[in-house]
Amino acid sequence: MSVEAEIGFADPGGRRACGFVRMSVEAEIGFADPGGRRACGFVRMSVEVEMGFADRGDVSEDELLISTSNRKRPGRPKNEVWQHFNTIPADSTNGKKDLHSGAACKFCKQKWSRRKTSEMIAHLALQCPKPPPPEVRALYLEILNNGSFDDNDDDNSSKRSKPYKQSKITNHVERLTVTDDKQRRCSRALTKFFVTCGVPLWIVENPFFIDYSKELCPGFQVPKRTILSTTMINVETATVIAEMKKKLSNETNLTLGLDGWISPAGQSLYIFLIMTIIEEVGAEKFCSIVSDHASNVVLAKNLVSTKYPHIFPIRCIAHHINLLSSDIIKLNWATNIITCCKKIVTFFKQSHAGGAILQQEIVENMIKGGGLKKYVITRWTTAYDCTDSIIRCKNALKQILENESQLLNLEIISILRKQNFFRNVKDLRTILLPIKKAIINLEHKSTTLADCFINLVIMATAIKELSQTSNQNFSKECQNVFDKRWKEFNFDYYLLAYFLHPKYRDTGLQINTFCIICEKALSIWKLLGGREKSANELIAQISNYSLKSKPYDFEFVTGIHTVKNWWLMCKQQNNHIQKLLF
């Protein structure tokens, strides 16, 4: 059998190269029986193939290069993130094979000799000093958050993805392998543990830690330290940012609170973090910034209020009350009482026999509230808890002093036998009680500036009533401390908030206070962009509110109304006072 074929592409004009294939096939099939015993089969085949281009003289070298370069490269196509990077050719001068190409960011021009897809995505989403357009950053932030990328697609890797397999019941029992989803969840949980607990990342490569992880889940592959410190932390950062943006997307009138942010080198991070947060979330969503009164914080708040006039700098009332409490504790009389209380608490905490007897006396006397409490300087309410526990256990301590004095040392016996010890502790507890209540009330989610003002008034009343006790000098010193802190604090915002609370209005305020309230309201209205006409209308509405004229004649019912819904009931044209509030 003989076959000859010729395939070609004609080009009558002779302008382009014409391809052709010539193929010749010869075959011979037969059976031979050399010895006459058995048949033997044989096949002879000859194949000739000729390929070429007709009229090669008309084909340029450039056209040949173009035709070969347009051929599809084997393997996966590059990830779409490469469209934001310029490819840097791999260096082949060292003779190594399978080199990875480098990349250069189109936005910040940063270069890398070798780059992975996950690191490129993290760069665009989190690290680029010259951020890409918002839509590009949001896209790769979402990709990084979902983990929907694969480092195997770098440089057209020819690795094939594993085919999808149906989950089996054996996958739900302990196996030597785990699913990709479980591996991802375990890695993310491990990342959260290391970051939130401040555990050094090198521990992840410690053989004992790896052995512990394998005992918990044999199939879990513990990530390397480099993966944990880059890819995994970047994924968790993107997740936190995405969740934060989702929660804050529909929020308004936000308050930024901060306290004591410094770098590992001890440098203040206030200005950088405040500006970053406000610009990231959106300056229009914030209405105030609250912090302590440190000098660097005051500078940061002034910069914010200058750039964004509608964001009001407010001093933290809880920090102010804590300073007031600390000043009172530092007074000589109070310091001596607190020191004695701390010695009693420490003794019964450290003495096994004494602590057991005290616990027995507490049970027999049915004392509620537990045993003695320690005083911790950084815990604002523990000063009251310490003095209150001494008063609660007064009878138990006296019983131990009378019947089990051999268990006590001479210093504790001397303290408990002082004539006015328990009375002095009670007086100190009286002044510390409103401080604790004020701090607890300020921690509630529904707390308003008016509540802060009320708690300060309650504290002033308690200090004034202290003058009726035998500690006249301590009472005067407390009053001086309170007056000093009151003058340091800017109460205009709190005074205006107290006045605009429908439950209080101008109750208890002095006559000249109304002018201060109006001046503060006008200064805020000016920052909000109000003009002279609207300012006059605002003052008229404030006057009608003070006189309980319509539409402000509704009674505020505690437990039924909230401040917000009460004000929303007051409807009128050009409701400037409502805009001032919300």
Side-chain angles (χ1 to χ4, degrees):
M1 179 176 64
S2 176
V3 178
E4 292 185 5
E6 181 175 353
I7 303 174
F9 298 91
D11 187 7
R15 297 178 182 176
R16 299 180 59 189
C18 303
F20 67 91
V21 177
R22 294 192 183 96
M23 181 172 61
S24 176
V25 180
E26 293 182 4
E28 183 179 357
I29 303 174
F31 293 87
D33 188 8
R37 296 178 182 179
R38 296 181 61 186
C40 298
F42 64 92
V43 177
R44 296 188 182 95
M45 179 175 291
S46 176
V47 180
E48 293 181 3
V49 179
E50 182 179 1
M51 303 177 63
F53 290 89
D55 195 11
R56 289 178 61 98
D58 296 334
V59 182
S60 65
E61 293 295 331
D62 292 337
E63 290 177 337
L64 291 176
L65 291 175
I66 292 173
S67 64
T68 56
S69 63
N70 288 337
R71 288 183 298 173
K72 184 178 180 181
R73 295 180 61 187
R76 297 182 182 179
K78 287 187 176 181
N79 191 286
E80 293 182 357
V81 72
W82 278 90
Q83 65 180 322
H84 304 293
F85 292 82
N86 294 322
T87 303
I88 301 176
D91 184 10
S92 58
T93 57
N94 53 10
K96 294 183 179 179
K97 297 182 179 180
D98 193 24
L99 295 175
H100 293 264
S101 59
C105 178
K106 292 182 179 180
F107 301 101
C108 65
K109 308 303 180 183
Q110 186 175 353
K111 297 180 180 180
W112 301 272
S113 59
R114 178 175 177 176
R115 202 63 176 166
K116 294 183 178 180
T117 299
S118 59
E119 295 175 347
M120 295 165 67
I121 293 175
H123 175 77
L124 291 177
L126 305 171
Q127 301 163 359
C128 186
K130 294 183 179 180
E135 61 274 11
V136 175
R137 185 176 185 184
L139 172 63
Y140 289 104
L141 198 62
E142 182 179 359
I143 292 175
L144 189 61
N145 179 29
N146 298 332
S148 55
F149 56 86
D150 186 3
D151 280 337
N152 291 333
D153 59 8
D154 291 331
D155 295 304
N156 292 329
S157 174
S158 59
K159 298 179 181 179
R160 295 183 179 180
S161 59
K162 297 180 180 180
Y164 173 77
K165 294 183 179 180
Q166 179 68 32
S167 178
K168 300 179 181 179
I169 192 172
T170 54
N171 292 338
H172 301 282
V173 296
E174 190 174 66
R175 298 183 59 186
L176 296 179
T177 58
V178 296
T179 61
D180 293 340
D181 181 63
K182 186 172 182 179
Q183 175 72 26
R184 187 181 301 108
R185 287 187 286 108
C186 292
S187 298
R188 294 186 66 177
L190 186 67
T191 305
K192 293 178 182 178
F193 163 72
F194 273 87
V195 174
T196 56
C197 298
V199 180
L201 299 182
W202 61 264
I203 291 179
V204 76
E205 296 180 348
N206 187 290
F208 294 102
F209 179 80
I210 295 175
D211 182 60
Y212 169 74
S213 301
K214 292 295 184 181
E215 289 294 330
L216 293 176
C217 183
F220 173 60
Q221 299 297 322
V222 181
K224 294 183 179 180
R225 177 178 58 84
T226 53
I227 299 298
L228 190 66
S229 62
T230 56
T231 304
M232 298 307 302
I233 289 182
N234 288 335
V235 169
E236 287 305 311
T237 303
T239 301
V240 172
I241 294 175
E243 291 181 356
M244 179 191 70
K245 288 188 174 181
K246 183 179 179 181
K247 291 181 179 180
L248 298 179
S249 59
N250 297 323
E251 296 291 337
T252 57
N253 294 329
L254 296 175
T255 297
L256 179 60
L258 46 111
D259 181 27
W261 291 346
I262 58 173
S263 67
Q267 299 173 340
S268 175
L269 300 178
Y270 282 107
I271 298 177
F272 171 74
L273 285 177
I274 290 173
M275 290 299 183
T276 302
I277 293 173
I278 291 177
E279 293 175 359
E280 186 74 21
V281 178
E284 69 281 356
K285 292 181 177 293
F286 289 93
C287 65
S288 62
I289 176 172
V290 179
S291 67
D292 56 20
H293 204 57
S295 58
N296 53 350
V297 186
V298 174
L299 174 62
K301 290 194 296 184
N302 290 336
L303 291 176
V304 172
S305 60
T306 302
K307 187 173 182 180
Y308 306 106
H310 68 281
I311 300 180
F312 305 130
I314 300 177
R315 185 175 175 181
C316 178
I317 186 69
H319 183 263
H320 177 78
I321 293 177
N322 178 53
L323 292 177
L324 180 59
S325 173
S326 300
D327 290 344
I328 292 175
I329 295 299
K330 289 178 183 178
L331 297 176
N332 292 332
W333 183 83
T335 300
N336 294 333
I337 299 299
I338 288 292
T339 301
C340 293
C341 292
K342 290 170 62 178
K343 290 179 179 180
I344 294 174
V345 173
T346 302
F347 173 81
F348 282 99
K349 291 289 185 182
Q350 296 178 350
S351 173
H352 175 73
I357 293 296
L358 178 61
Q359 184 62 31
Q360 182 179 350
E361 290 290 339
I362 291 174
V363 174
E364 292 179 355
N365 291 278
M366 295 183 292
I367 298 175
K368 296 181 180 181
L372 300 177
K373 307 294 183 182
K374 289 184 177 181
Y375 167 62
V376 182
I377 297 178
T378 56
R379 305 285 180 172
W380 297 349
T381 62
T382 54
Y384 170 81
D385 294 336
C386 181
T387 55
D388 181 62
S389 66
I390 295 292
I391 298 301
R392 284 190 289 102
C393 298
K394 174 182 176 181
N395 294 332
L397 293 172
K398 287 185 175 182
Q399 289 291 332
I400 295 174
L401 180 63
E402 294 176 2
N403 303 326
E404 304 290 345
S405 60
Q406 70 278 4
L407 299 177
L408 307 177
N409 58 36
L410 295 178
E411 186 177 24
I412 300 302
I413 293 175
S414 175
I415 293 173
L416 294 177
R417 284 181 175 175
K418 287 182 179 179
Q419 182 177 5
N420 296 323
F421 171 71
F422 288 104
R423 180 172 181 175
N424 292 337
V425 174
K426 187 175 181 180
D427 290 342
L428 182 59
R429 184 189 67 167
T430 301
I431 192 62
L432 295 177
L433 177 59
I435 296 177
K436 177 180 179 179
K437 288 183 177 180
I439 294 174
I440 293 176
N441 291 337
L442 295 176
E443 292 176 349
H444 292 167
K445 185 177 180 180
S446 58
T447 300
T448 63
L449 295 182
D451 298 323
C452 302
F453 187 82
I454 290 296
N455 282 284
L456 286 173
V457 173
I458 293 174
M459 289 177 58
T461 303
I463 292 175
K464 184 177 180 180
E465 292 177 350
L466 190 64
S467 61
Q468 300 175 3
T469 65
S470 58
N471 302 296
Q472 298 292 332
N473 293 332
F474 177 67
S475 175
K476 292 180 180 179
E477 291 177 343
C478 287
Q479 292 179 21
N480 294 333
V481 167
F482 188 87
D483 292 341
K484 175 186 175 181
R485 291 299 179 183
W486 182 277
K487 293 178 181 178
E488 291 178 354
F489 203 82
N490 182 8
F491 287 99
D492 291 348
Y493 286 111
Y494 296 92
L495 188 63
L496 177 61
Y498 171 83
F499 173 77
L500 295 177
H501 196 298
K503 180 180 179 180
Y504 309 120
R505 304 201 189 200
D506 52 1
T507 303
L509 298 180
Q510 297 179 0
I511 298 176
N512 60 344
T513 307
F514 184 78
C515 295
I516 299 175
I517 292 173
C518 291
E519 291 176 358
K520 193 61 182 178
L522 288 175
S523 65
I524 296 175
W525 189 251
K526 183 179 179 180
L527 294 175
L528 295 177
R531 298 184 178 276
E532 182 178 357
K533 181 180 179 181
S534 60
N536 293 331
E537 293 175 350
L538 174 64
I539 295 300
Q541 292 175 9
I542 291 177
S543 300
N544 292 334
Y545 166 75
S546 177
L547 298 173
K548 296 185 179 181
S549 302
K550 291 184 178 182
Y552 311 108
D553 53 346
F554 296 104
E555 289 294 332
F556 181 86
V557 181
T558 305
I560 297 178
H561 293 143
T562 63
V563 177
K564 185 174 182 178
N565 64 27
W566 188 92
W567 275 103
L568 291 176
M569 291 190 303
C570 304
K571 298 180 180 180
Q572 62 177 338
Q573 292 182 350
N574 298 327
N575 202 337
H576 302 309
I577 191 172
Q578 198 173 97
K579 183 179 179 181
L580 180 69
L581 282 165
F582 306 121

